[in-house]
Amino acid sequence: MVQLYNLHPFGSQQVVPCRQEPAVFCCGRDALLVACASGACKVEVFALGRAELCEPLGSFNTLGRVLRMTYSQAGDYVVTIEEKNKAIFLRAYVNWGCMSAENSRVCVRMVGHDPLASYTEASKDQMSIIELPVSDSPLCFSCCPLTGDLLVGCKNKLVLFCLKHRVMSPNLTLLDFERSLILHIENVTPAEVAFCAGYVAVTTELEVLILKLELGEKLAGNRGQHTYGSVAPEKFKNKGVKEEARSIQFETDDFVICQQPVELLGEESQLCGIPVVLESIALDSEDQNFHLQYILYRRFAPDLSSFLFSVEDAKLHSLQLLPMFETGTSVTVDGRKSTKRELLSLFCFFSLPHIGYLYTVGKLVELISTYQYSEKSQQAVLTPKFLHVITSNNLQCFTVRCSAAAARDEDPYIDTTLKACPPVSLDVCALRMQLFIGLKAISHFKNHVIVLTKADTEDITERKKPPRRLLSRKVESVKPKIPLDSEPGWNLYIVNTTSTLQLYREMVEYSKTYENIRTESCTHLLSEAHLLVRTALMDPDLEESEEKEDIQAAFRESCAFLGDCYSRFDTKDSHLALPYYKMSGLSMTDVLKRLDSTLEDKSQKHEKGFIFYLNHSLHEEIDEELSEELAAKVLHIFYLAEPNQIPHVLCSPCTKNVCPKIAMGYLEKVEAVVPSVVVTLTKASMALKMGDQDRCRNELDCYAEMMLVCGFIVEPRLLRQQIKGQIIPTELAVHLRETRPGFLVASVLALHENHKIELEEADSYIKMLSAKDGDAVPQLLVDFWETLLVACSQEEVVQELHFKLAVQYIWRLAKKEMPDTKPIKTAEDLINSCSHYGLIFPWVTFMMSLAPPSDQNSSEDLTKLQSLLCGSSINIPSILPYLETLPEDTIPGLSIHVLCYTQLGQYEKITETLLERCPEAVIPYAQHELKDERQALWWNKLLPELCKRTRHVGEHYPVLVSSLKETLSVIAMELELRDFINVLPEDGSVSFFLPHLLQCSRRRLVT
């Protein structure tokens, strides 16, 4: 459906001072080019964009009468179809701007010929005419706005000319064309073609076909023609009528053959029944391999509802491909910053006399809009902002949805809670019409619409005679009828469109007439205004525009207006208030004031769109604090709309300035209706703000600690809040640290296990809670690590906790630091409850019994570290650098070093270390560690070391001798007599070793 609004898209207009009657015209490079009719071979050039006067800039002659003409911005050339001596020619005019000077020279050359033969250094200041030869008469053409390549439509084929830049010298680069590809299309004579970014659109009288050309890798033996077959299925064959129509030769014109309408999108369009053959004809075709993809096919049936019927009342016109580019991409060339144009979305428009169709054909092939005209259309032109249509006496303006579709292609966050955009399916609008007499043609350039009017002298006889012809894909010719006498009365107008900001403000002002009626018209108009400025923001030329900041401000304002609409009106899309308010840049305070000013009754209940916005905003981490008055207003709004959300509202940092007595009053009202643990915890928090610790304690005693932990999981902001990207403990968390540290640790652990807080965030949170800065680790954090290690099963987290705890234990032992608070878990608790804390080895216990009392001040940390190292899963290499701070000259330090080296398997080094520093522990250590595959170390390492050290009487001589005897006893029980004798030292005393020899011998006799 088309909405009608009395807006003013058109502003002032100018009359182009043409000396002769215009035939065709086009725009480019801030100029209007007008080809003269009446057999004149001339193109006049006028300045475009000057508000004062459409000033003539000059003219240049053509080689024939111009039938069609267009301008290509890429390459800056003008291409024409001309007629001379009843022959049709295709020509391109390069450097056409040089013809404003009277002494300019002209060079005519043929495509494919060496341009060096006719060019000199002066050639850059002269116009050149390039002849583009085609085997059949050219019927239509289109220039690619991205590359400047030219696609020419001929009978049963399309010819592609690629634009080339040939470097003649360091100061001279010439434009040239090269025939690259021929698309052979059977039984299709194009009426219009459009070409952009490899997409090819072709129309006949009642059919539209869109293809996509892609250049792939060249395959061996792939030169020549490539056929892309398309078979029409039975349901599209119209029961054989189409085939019969081609084979039967009608002798009369008394029949009109009509086929059923068809629409095929995407892969289904291959079923259209139109085969296409690709023929590569480029000079370097060995390196090219074109692929073809069918994009869209649509066939229309003529409207036979009227008695008088003519082809002119049914055929398609105004085929156009409209690209839209990505925004914000810029490149620097030769020190100058310019906008880089990268294709984002592509749209295709074509029209019947009474209805127009707009498709998106880029990432998705879809019909997005249809346009119903009030009367028969002559021609239409599509722009990113509007669709301009001319009828016989009206210039009409419709809104389009190109920017809505392109925005979704560009930004994946659209249609989420972060960003929004009016839907593509939004009804289009028809704006005010501009009256003209005898409109014939239309063109568009930037902010200008150029229209040609001619007052027709109606031939009644001709009008009464209905022309009849067979409707097929064939079109006889594109030659217009040449009247014998010039039609009287013609004018060429430049209509200046209203600026984006002016029309935007008019739309906003117009929407206020619907503001209090609560209809969708207000939202619809504001959506149109939003799309208008969004389209302007997507214009690559905006980077260099002085209006950029004003348009950006208008965009934010339009988002605010749409947010107001969706928050005030109870519609199915009320949730869009949230993303629109976010895009507006308004703070919550601004939004509350805006909505408060629009409510007639201050006690009126707010609509769900506004509640949705408030609810999401209060749950997000935003750095905004509402005033006491506004915070109380928010509580009142939620009490009326969603009272169960009041505890969550009070947990938001935005409402920290709320009066605690008012908040407590609302909480008590909610608790009376829907009691919950979250309400109780929130009441405890409010009691602390009121300075009533007794009431806080009483509230916390209402539920078991496990239930309270569940309450923190539901609402983590009771314990921590994120302000300016940093997690801050709440007043309730500080109170729990002082009164219930174990419960606080359990609560933080529950938050981590339920993915409410990351491990690094929990570490910094507890440090801040304990008022510790830098690298200082409070005991509360160690308690959290120990508790988490007990409950955690993730290997990566377990290894990280092992490292943190081990380093902290080592640091305290090295610094002889005591914990700042009493540990929650003792070493015995951890050993009994956590598999990562192993039972302490007997030799470690024996060593510690030898330590003096002064070395046992940190016995709890030492025991935990020893137990952790006695476990089997700790990564010892990661903590070795920190062992350097722990000396080996004490029994506790030595035990830690020995435990670490034991895990690393350095038993020989440990044996030497123990013999040197604590020989009493050698035998207990060996008995526990030197077993199985390590048992050979008794006689290979321990026995030689003891024998060497007992040769000289020293400080530890008695202990060493005792250890030697114990070692010999163990070896005697394990080795055969001969092997035992072989390991004994040669210089030993027989009396010392004889008892052990006898022991080994007796064992042999017994066995």
Side-chain angles (χ1 to χ4, degrees):
M1 186 174 68
V2 178
Q3 303 283 343
L4 300 176
Y5 293 113
N6 188 21
L7 298 171
H8 299 79
F10 304 117
S12 62
Q13 65 185 40
Q14 307 172 46
V15 177
V16 181
C18 298
R19 297 180 180 179
Q20 294 178 306
E21 177 184 351
V24 293
F25 56 90
C26 64
C27 304
R29 207 173 67 181
D30 294 329
L32 172 63
L33 292 86
V34 182
C36 303
S38 303
C41 301
K42 185 178 183 181
V43 174
E44 295 183 277
V45 183
F46 301 90
L48 196 61
R50 301 181 185 179
E52 304 83 13
L53 184 63
C54 184
E55 178 184 355
L57 297 179
S59 63
F60 60 89
N61 294 323
T62 60
L63 300 182
R65 184 173 63 90
V66 178
L67 304 180
R68 290 178 182 258
M69 179 173 64
T70 192
Y71 169 80
S72 173
Q73 182 178 359
D76 187 26
Y77 66 88
V78 177
V79 61
T80 63
I81 294 179
E82 303 174 10
E83 180 188 40
K84 188 173 184 180
N85 298 329
K86 297 182 180 182
I88 304 298
F89 300 91
L90 179 67
R91 297 186 174 105
Y93 293 80
V94 182
N95 282 350
W96 52 272
C98 298
M99 289 307 296
S100 59
E102 295 180 357
N103 57 351
S104 295
R105 300 170 57 198
V106 177
C107 172
V108 181
R109 56 189 174 92
M110 182 76 69
V111 164
H113 288 227
D114 185 9
L116 285 175
S118 57
Y119 269 78
T120 62
E121 283 295 324
S123 297
K124 60 183 178 181
D125 297 324
Q126 71 179 24
M127 185 178 77
S128 62
I129 303 175
I130 304 176
E131 293 279 354
L132 303 170
V134 286
S135 58
D136 295 322
S137 297
L139 305 176
C140 50
F141 53 72
S142 176
C143 301
C144 176
L146 278 70
T147 62
D149 294 345
L150 176 64
L151 184 71
V152 182
C154 303
K155 185 177 180 180
N156 295 334
K157 65 183 177 182
L158 305 176
V159 183
L160 177 61
F161 291 87
C162 291
L163 181 66
K164 301 292 183 180
H165 296 265
R166 303 191 185 278
V167 179
M168 301 292 101
S169 67
N171 299 323
L172 181 61
T173 301
L174 300 180
L175 291 183
D176 198 8
F177 292 89
E178 179 184 355
R179 288 207 312 167
S180 176
L181 183 70
I182 298 178
L183 290 80
H184 298 275
I185 309 177
E186 183 181 357
N187 295 323
V188 172
T189 303
E192 289 182 298
V193 294
F195 184 53
C196 180
Y199 287 83
V200 177
V202 188
T203 62
T204 60
E205 288 181 352
L206 290 173
E207 289 176 298
V208 182
L209 177 64
I210 302 179
L211 310 168
K212 184 181 181 182
L213 287 173
E214 294 179 316
L215 189 60
E217 296 181 358
K218 180 66 181 178
L219 303 177
N222 215 26
R223 180 179 175 88
Q225 296 186 351
H226 310 277
T227 302
Y228 289 80
S230 177
V231 180
E234 290 299 324
K235 63 179 181 178
F236 298 133
K237 286 188 177 181
N238 212 14
K239 297 183 179 180
V241 174
K242 184 175 179 180
E243 285 72 17
E244 292 178 10
R246 293 178 180 175
S247 60
I248 298 175
Q249 299 294 327
F250 290 100
E251 297 180 357
T252 67
D253 279 344
D254 294 335
F255 297 95
V256 174
I257 304 302
C258 299
Q259 297 173 338
Q260 64 179 356
V262 173
E263 181 186 44
L264 301 174
L265 304 179
E267 294 181 356
E268 290 186 354
S269 59
Q270 294 181 357
L271 305 176
C272 64
I274 304 177
V276 179
V277 178
L278 298 184
E279 180 184 357
S280 181
I281 56 176
L283 296 177
D284 56 350
S285 59
E286 288 290 349
D287 300 326
Q288 294 181 346
N289 180 31
F290 285 99
H291 300 283
L292 186 66
Q293 180 181 357
Y294 286 79
I295 302 297
L296 178 147
Y297 173 76
R298 183 154 187 179
R299 182 175 65 213
F300 296 91
D303 183 10
L304 303 179
S305 59
S306 61
F307 178 74
L308 298 179
F309 171 75
S310 70
V311 174
E312 300 298 326
D313 294 327
K315 70 178 183 180
L316 292 163
H317 64 78
S318 304
L319 176 67
Q320 185 176 346
L321 287 175
L322 176 70
M324 293 194 71
F325 304 95
E326 290 187 12
T327 57
T329 56
S330 59
V331 293
T332 302
V333 180
D334 297 332
R336 294 179 298 177
K337 189 176 181 181
S338 61
T339 303
K340 184 179 180 181
R341 294 175 179 260
E342 292 188 4
L343 184 66
L344 174 65
S345 304
L346 188 64
F347 304 91
C348 181
F349 175 82
F350 48 85
S351 181
L352 288 170
H354 293 283
I355 185 169
Y357 300 88
L358 178 60
Y359 283 83
T360 174
V361 294
K363 300 177 182 177
L364 181 68
V365 183
E366 183 183 15
L367 176 64
I368 59 176
S369 298
T370 57
Y371 298 87
Q372 296 283 348
Y373 311 137
S374 58
E375 52 185 301
K376 177 185 173 183
S377 62
Q378 305 281 348
Q379 192 180 350
V381 59
L382 177 69
T383 74
K385 295 180 183 178
F386 299 110
L387 172 67
H388 300 290
V389 182
I390 58 171
T391 64
S392 59
N393 295 312
N394 285 319
L395 169 60
Q396 300 181 3
C397 179
F398 297 87
T399 57
V400 295
R401 300 290 169 257
C402 297
S403 60
R408 287 168 170 81
D409 290 338
E410 182 179 39
D411 195 340
Y413 291 102
I414 288 181
D415 298 327
T416 67
T417 57
L418 297 176
K419 295 180 181 180
C421 180
V424 177
S425 59
L426 184 70
D427 290 342
V428 295
C429 293
L431 308 183
R432 179 190 292 266
M433 298 180 183
Q434 190 88 348
L435 295 178
F436 289 92
I437 298 177
L439 285 167
K440 296 299 181 183
I442 184 173
S443 182
H444 174 270
F445 181 75
K446 294 185 177 179
N447 295 324
H448 312 284
V449 176
I450 299 90
V451 292
L452 173 63
T453 65
K454 292 184 181 181
D456 294 332
T457 302
E458 297 182 350
D459 189 339
I460 304 301
T461 304
E462 286 295 323
R463 292 188 63 191
K464 287 184 177 181
K465 182 181 179 181
R468 292 171 297 179
R469 58 189 297 182
L470 177 66
L471 288 183
S472 68
R473 296 192 185 101
K474 300 182 180 181
V475 179
E476 294 179 359
S477 176
V478 296
K479 297 181 183 180
K481 296 180 180 179
I482 306 173
L484 297 178
D485 298 320
S486 297
E487 296 177 354
W490 55 263
N491 271 310
L492 189 62
Y493 296 94
I494 298 177
V495 182
N496 301 314
T497 57
T498 306
S499 70
T500 298
L501 292 174
Q502 182 179 344
L503 186 56
Y504 162 76
R505 295 188 185 101
E506 185 181 0
M507 287 182 171
V508 172
E509 193 66 28
Y510 197 170
S511 69
K512 294 179 181 178
T513 59
Y514 302 99
E515 198 170 30
N516 299 320
I517 306 177
R518 297 209 170 206
T519 65
E520 293 185 357
S521 296
C522 180
T523 306
H524 191 276
L525 259 174
L526 291 174
S527 297
E528 291 288 2
H530 175 85
L531 288 176
L532 185 66
V533 292
R534 182 183 281 274
T535 304
L537 287 175
M538 299 183 75
D539 185 358
D541 296 330
L542 183 66
E543 292 294 327
E544 303 174 0
S545 174
E546 298 178 355
E547 292 185 338
K548 180 179 179 179
E549 293 183 2
D550 294 334
I551 291 179
Q552 289 174 337
F555 177 79
R556 292 189 294 269
E557 183 186 55
S558 71
C559 293
F561 286 141
L562 283 172
D564 293 343
C565 279
Y566 288 113
S567 62
R568 292 201 316 268
F569 300 158
D570 187 10
T571 66
K572 63 181 179 66
D573 296 322
S574 57
H575 63 280
L576 294 176
L578 173 65
Y580 278 119
Y581 275 140
K582 282 186 176 181
M583 296 193 307
S584 71
L586 293 176
S587 65
M588 198 184 309
T589 300
D590 298 331
V591 173
L592 285 167
K593 291 179 179 179
R594 288 172 70 94
L595 268 294
D596 188 55
S597 62
T598 59
L599 288 178
E600 299 175 0
D601 183 4
K602 301 303 179 184
S603 62
Q604 182 180 350
K605 183 179 178 181
H606 291 74
E607 297 294 347
K608 60 182 180 180
F610 182 61
I611 300 299
F612 183 81
Y613 161 74
L614 273 185
N615 200 4
H616 271 261
S617 299
L618 292 171
H619 276 79
E620 293 176 353
E621 311 293 350
I622 57 177
D623 302 329
E624 181 182 1
E625 295 180 6
L626 299 177
S627 65
E628 182 178 344
E629 179 183 359
L630 286 178
K633 182 182 290 294
V634 169
L635 283 181
H636 181 70
I637 291 172
F638 276 95
Y639 179 71
L640 295 177
E642 298 181 8
N644 60 319
Q645 292 295 322
I646 289 222
H648 305 286
V649 172
L650 289 170
C651 291
S652 172
C654 301
T655 59
K656 65 177 298 184
N657 296 325
V658 70
C659 176
K661 292 183 178 180
I662 295 177
M664 188 67 79
Y666 281 111
L667 287 170
E668 289 175 347
K669 292 178 182 179
V670 173
E671 189 177 41
V673 179
V674 189
S676 69
V677 65
V678 177
V679 174
T680 300
L681 287 172
T682 310
K683 289 176 65 179
S685 179
M686 289 298 110
L688 284 178
K689 290 187 176 182
M690 296 167 62
D692 192 346
Q693 294 195 5
D694 293 336
R695 184 170 182 179
C696 174
R697 183 176 60 255
N698 294 336
E699 295 291 347
L700 293 176
D701 290 340
C702 292
Y703 290 91
E705 286 191 349
M706 186 58 66
M707 290 296 295
L708 295 177
V709 169
C710 294
F712 287 132
I713 295 174
V714 174
E715 186 46 86
R717 293 179 296 177
L718 285 164
L719 287 180
R720 59 112 181 112
Q721 293 182 342
Q722 188 166 350
I723 301 176
K724 295 182 179 180
Q726 187 176 17
I727 293 181
I728 306 296
T730 62
E731 193 172 348
L732 179 59
V734 175
H735 174 75
L736 293 177
R737 178 183 63 83
E738 297 172 353
T739 58
R740 305 185 183 187
F743 169 59
L744 176 63
V745 169
S747 301
V748 178
L749 175 62
L751 294 182
H752 173 71
E753 290 185 331
N754 286 274
H755 310 290
K756 303 293 184 179
I757 189 171
E758 299 295 332
L759 182 58
E760 294 77 9
E761 293 177 340
D763 291 353
S764 60
Y765 167 77
I766 295 176
K767 280 186 179 182
M768 188 173 296
L769 189 61
S770 305
K772 295 291 184 179
D773 299 328
D775 297 331
V777 178
Q779 177 58 38
L780 192 66
L781 181 55
V782 177
D783 293 333
F784 170 70
W785 290 340
E786 292 173 346
T787 307
L788 179 58
L789 186 59
V790 172
C792 185
S793 60
Q794 299 179 17
E795 184 61 28
E796 293 182 0
V797 178
V798 167
Q799 290 298 328
E800 186 176 356
L801 292 173
H802 279 165
F803 173 77
K804 290 181 176 182
L805 288 168
V807 169
Q808 183 58 24
Y809 295 148
I810 292 172
W811 184 85
R812 283 185 182 175
L813 291 173
K815 300 291 184 180
K816 296 183 179 180
E817 290 272 349
M818 298 298 292
D820 55 343
T821 58
K822 183 180 178 181
I824 295 176
K825 292 183 179 293
T826 64
E828 185 177 358
D829 295 334
L830 293 172
I831 293 173
N832 293 333
S833 61
C834 181
S835 60
H836 302 288
Y837 285 88
L839 290 172
I840 298 178
F841 300 147
W843 62 267
V844 178
T845 305
F846 176 79
M847 285 184 67
M848 294 308 302
S849 65
L850 303 176
S854 60
D855 289 340
Q856 299 182 11
N857 293 335
S858 302
S859 60
E860 193 67 24
D861 284 335
L862 178 62
T863 305
K864 290 180 180 179
L865 178 58
Q866 289 172 340
S867 174
L868 190 63
L869 294 174
C870 288
S872 58
S873 58
I874 188 170
N875 183 14
I876 297 299
S878 63
I879 64 172
L880 285 180
Y882 301 91
L883 280 179
E884 298 176 359
T885 61
L886 191 63
E888 296 183 8
D889 55 0
T890 63
I891 295 297
L894 181 61
S895 69
I896 300 302
H897 280 271
V898 172
L899 278 169
C900 291
Y901 292 132
T902 299
Q903 293 279 12
L904 296 174
Q906 300 180 7
Y907 299 101
E908 296 186 6
K909 179 179 180 180
I910 296 171
T911 300
E912 296 177 1
T913 302
L914 287 177
L915 288 173
E916 184 69 28
R917 297 187 180 277
C918 186
E920 296 89 346
V922 167
I923 297 303
Y925 175 82
Q927 289 174 341
H928 186 270
E929 299 294 341
L930 304 183
K931 299 177 182 178
D932 301 327
E933 68 276 3
R934 300 187 294 271
Q935 194 176 40
L937 291 174
W938 280 89
W939 52 84
N940 291 333
K941 181 63 179 178
L942 182 57
L943 179 61
E945 286 291 334
L946 288 171
C947 292
K948 182 177 67 175
R949 294 174 187 271
T950 53
R951 286 188 174 92
H952 307 284
V953 178
E955 179 182 358
H956 300 294
Y957 184 76
V959 176
L960 293 173
V961 171
S962 175
S963 299
L964 179 58
K965 291 180 180 180
E966 185 68 26
T967 301
L968 289 171
S969 297
V970 172
I971 296 175
M973 297 301 295
E974 296 297 332
L975 295 180
E976 296 292 334
L977 181 61
R978 180 179 299 176
D979 296 331
F980 182 62
I981 294 174
N982 290 333
V983 299
L984 294 177
E986 297 180 356
D987 57 347
S989 173
V990 175
S991 60
F992 183 82
F993 291 102
L994 184 60
H996 301 288
L997 286 168
L998 293 175
Q999 180 186 1
C1000 182
S1001 177
R1002 293 191 192 101
R1003 181 181 63 80
R1004 174 69 175 171
L1005 291 175
V1006 171
T1007 58

